[in-house]
Amino acid sequence: MVLLLLGGMVVYAQPENLPEPEGGSEYTERVRYPVSNIILQERYPETIVLRGPQSENKVALTFDDGPDPRFTPQILDVLKEYNIKATFFVMGARAEAYPDLVKRIIEEGHIIGNHTYWHPNLVEEADINTLEREVTKTEATLAELIGYQTKLFRAPYGFLYNELVEKLANMNYTVVGWTVDSLDWQEAPPEEIAYNVLSNIHPGAIILMHDGAEWEGDRTNTIKSLRQIIPTLKDEGMEFETVPNLLNIPYKK
């Protein structure tokens, strides 16, 4: 990756090996509405988690689609500055392309989950074999880098249906959803991203954000919004936990 300074602005030169999400951008896919994760969680309460206990002022920050050399390091810097531990759901192809970023995530005390290898739309594919291939390949890639098999999985776009959930349960995964969506993929101003989070926050919230993007995407405003979200929630007495700590569930198989 090369950084170019043009008129005081930082412009990223595209890394030749940045794997793109196979299923398309959030813009094209998130307009679809498959089975609600709330309904799926009710059907499969032992497999799908959406939130932590509401009895404690604790929340979890989660980041999808990395590692991305343009944005993940900056997000890690912010988290380190505020002494926050988060959960990163990574693409296997990007983990393989940027192993040092995966290792940095782990070394700084964060948790890693499986977000498939190529980020396909699993509902559109409607193929159990595709799910198994994507998950297994990512599992093997991550195990080589972090030394264990992660038990946490999040579907691309959050899209699943009954048979996919049942297959993931058979593969010994906990499927992690969310209750607070920052909608940062829309690339709104940082204040709007922060508002999306802060206006919907609650004890036990799992917050969805993104450290990775397709090449045309930009997570700069996500990074800036964290400097509003984190101190505000801390001032309100909220504590930040990783997903397994928030839910008291294992993150290793």
Side-chain angles (χ1 to χ4, degrees):
M1 180 181 62
V2 180
L3 301 182
L4 307 175
L5 289 174
L6 299 177
M9 295 181 61
V10 176
V11 180
Y12 294 93
Q14 182 172 10
E16 292 182 1
N17 60 342
L18 179 70
E20 291 279 54
E22 189 176 78
S25 73
E26 298 283 339
Y27 268 109
T28 60
E29 297 306 304
R30 286 281 289 274
V31 295
R32 307 172 193 264
Y33 291 95
V35 182
S36 163
N37 279 340
I38 295 174
I39 293 174
L40 287 173
Q41 197 275 334
E42 291 173 350
R43 292 175 180 167
Y44 304 100
E46 301 300 317
T47 302
I48 298 179
V49 296
L50 301 179
R51 68 195 308 164
Q54 294 181 267
S55 56
E56 298 179 307
N57 284 335
K58 295 181 178 181
V59 298
L61 280 173
T62 67
F63 297 91
D64 288 7
D65 298 353
D68 189 316
R70 301 167 297 172
F71 311 115
T72 304
Q74 297 179 72
I75 286 176
L76 289 171
D77 288 346
V78 173
L79 296 176
K80 187 174 184 179
E81 178 183 338
Y82 287 103
N83 193 27
I84 298 295
K85 305 306 179 190
T87 307
F88 289 78
F89 292 91
V90 304
M91 285 174 54
R94 289 185 170 182
E96 189 168 350
Y98 306 107
D100 289 345
L101 278 178
V102 175
K103 292 175 182 177
R104 180 183 169 187
I105 290 170
I106 292 295
E107 288 168 358
E108 296 188 2
H110 307 291
I111 298 295
I112 279 183
N114 188 324
H115 199 45
T116 70
Y117 196 84
W118 286 113
H119 202 278
N121 183 330
L122 294 169
V123 170
E124 185 176 29
E125 292 284 341
D127 181 8
I128 298 295
N129 290 333
T130 296
L131 170 72
E132 186 171 17
R133 181 176 64 251
E134 287 277 331
V135 172
T136 302
K137 189 172 183 180
T138 302
E139 182 178 280
T141 299
L142 291 177
E144 285 190 13
L145 295 174
I146 66 180
Y148 63 84
Q149 291 181 324
T150 179
K151 186 174 168 58
L152 306 179
F153 175 82
R154 176 175 282 164
Y157 321 105
F159 289 1
L160 290 169
Y161 56 83
N162 290 4
E163 289 79 5
L164 295 176
V165 177
E166 291 165 8
K167 180 61 177 179
L168 288 161
N170 289 337
M171 297 174 74
N172 194 24
Y173 275 95
T174 297
V175 177
V176 181
W178 59 85
T179 53
V180 176
D181 191 345
S182 69
L183 300 175
D184 59 344
W185 53 271
Q186 295 178 350
E187 300 180 11
E191 294 77 13
E192 187 172 327
I193 296 173
Y195 177 81
N196 290 339
V197 173
L198 297 174
S199 63
N200 290 290
I201 206 68
H202 58 85
I206 296 177
I207 304 164
L208 172 64
M209 305 188 82
H210 295 80
D211 64 314
E214 68 280 4
W215 171 240
E216 293 78 10
D218 188 353
R219 299 293 175 250
T220 301
N221 288 347
T222 297
I223 298 162
K224 292 179 179 178
S225 73
L226 287 171
R227 295 192 177 279
Q228 301 175 42
I229 294 166
I230 294 172
T232 299
L233 291 181
K234 280 192 166 187
D235 288 345
E236 293 177 358
M238 288 288 184
E239 298 178 23
F240 291 85
E241 298 280 4
T242 63
V243 166
N245 281 349
L246 180 70
L247 294 158
N248 193 28
I249 59 174
Y251 60 92
K252 298 179 182 180
K253 288 189 177 180

